[in-house]
Structure formats: structure tokens, C-alpha cells
């Protein structure tokens, strides 16, 4: 039953990302953390999400704003990834779940 629920969460999150262009990881982690520990969920999900992103880019290469990607998005993602990996490796990831929940709520309210 857990696997079926997780598959439905991932499907819904990926459909959302395919439509709006982002949000798959935040949705999957926020909802999937109720079913599986993050140390199991993240290593299984991130490669799947990267394949989806690569597929979308391959299908619509002209829709990519390279300037925005290289100057604003990739530097922020790089810093966030390094900090996230450091926190995850130190075993502090579980204590960050309330922060993730707060981030998701603030993001949802802002986008509404």
C-alpha cells in the first residue's frame, strides 16, 4: 500500500512539474516523507526527477532561458545542493522537516 501511495504522489508531482515547470521535488518530499524516511526517498527520487527534467528540455530546447539558468538558477542550486548534502551527511536532515513544511506553506501561500 505504501508503494502505491508513493507512486501516486510521484505521478501527481511529476504531472505538476510537467505543467508548471517546477515543484515536483518539493511535492514529493513533502508528501513522501510521511511514507518513507528521507534517506530512502531522496536517493530513489532525485534520479527520476532528473530524467524528467532532461526529457522536458530535450522536447522543448528553445524554451530554455540560458541567461536566467546560468546567472541566477544554477548558482543558487549549486549552493543549496552543497549545503543540503552537508546537512544530510551530518544526519541533521530529520530535524529539518519542520523547516521544509514551513517553506512549503509559505511558498503555497505566496503563489496563491
Amino acid at each position: 500500500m505504501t508503494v502505491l501511495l508513493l507512486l501516486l504522489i510521484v505521478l501527481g508531482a511529476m504531472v505538476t512539474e510537467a505543467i508548471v515547470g517546477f515543484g515536483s521535488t518539493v511535492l514529493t518530499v513533502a508528501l513522501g516523507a510521511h511514507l518513507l524516511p528521507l534517506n530512502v526517498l531522496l536517493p530513489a527520487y532525485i534520479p527520476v526527477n532528473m530524467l524528467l527534467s532532461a526529457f522536458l528540455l530535450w522536447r522543448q530546447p528553445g524554451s530554455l532561458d540560458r541567461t536566467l539558468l546560468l546567472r541566477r538558477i544554477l548558482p543558487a542550486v549549486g549552493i543549496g545542493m552543497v549545503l543540503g548534502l552537508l546537512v544530510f551527511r551530518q544526519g541533521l536532515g530529520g530535524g529539518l522537516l519542520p523547516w521544509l513544511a514551513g517553506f512549503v506553506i509559505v511558498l503555497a501561500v505566496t503563489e496563491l
Side-chain angles (χ1 to χ4, degrees):
M1 187 66 175
T2 301
V3 173
L4 180 61
L5 286 173
L6 186 61
L7 287 174
L8 289 172
I9 289 170
V10 170
L11 176 65
M14 289 199 162
V15 167
T16 301
E17 181 161 326
I19 293 170
V20 299
F22 68 95
S24 176
T25 303
V26 172
L27 289 172
T28 299
V29 171
L31 299 174
H34 295 286
L35 302 173
L36 293 173
L38 288 178
N39 63 343
V40 173
L41 181 63
L42 287 175
Y45 177 71
I46 296 301
V48 172
N49 188 34
M50 291 182 74
L51 284 174
L52 172 69
S53 297
F55 174 75
L56 292 174
L57 181 59
W58 176 71
R59 295 271 312 217
Q60 298 291 328
S63 64
L64 177 65
D65 183 349
R66 286 175 174 72
T67 304
L68 175 67
L69 177 67
L70 295 174
R71 290 190 182 160
R72 294 191 61 200
I73 295 174
L74 284 181
V77 167
I79 292 168
M81 187 173 67
V82 168
L83 291 175
L85 286 171
L86 288 173
V87 167
F88 192 72
R89 294 267 184 206
Q90 295 299 320
L92 304 173
L96 294 177
L97 283 178
W99 289 96
L100 175 64
F103 173 74
V104 170
I105 291 168
V106 169
L107 184 63
V109 169
T110 319
E111 292 300 318
L112 286 175

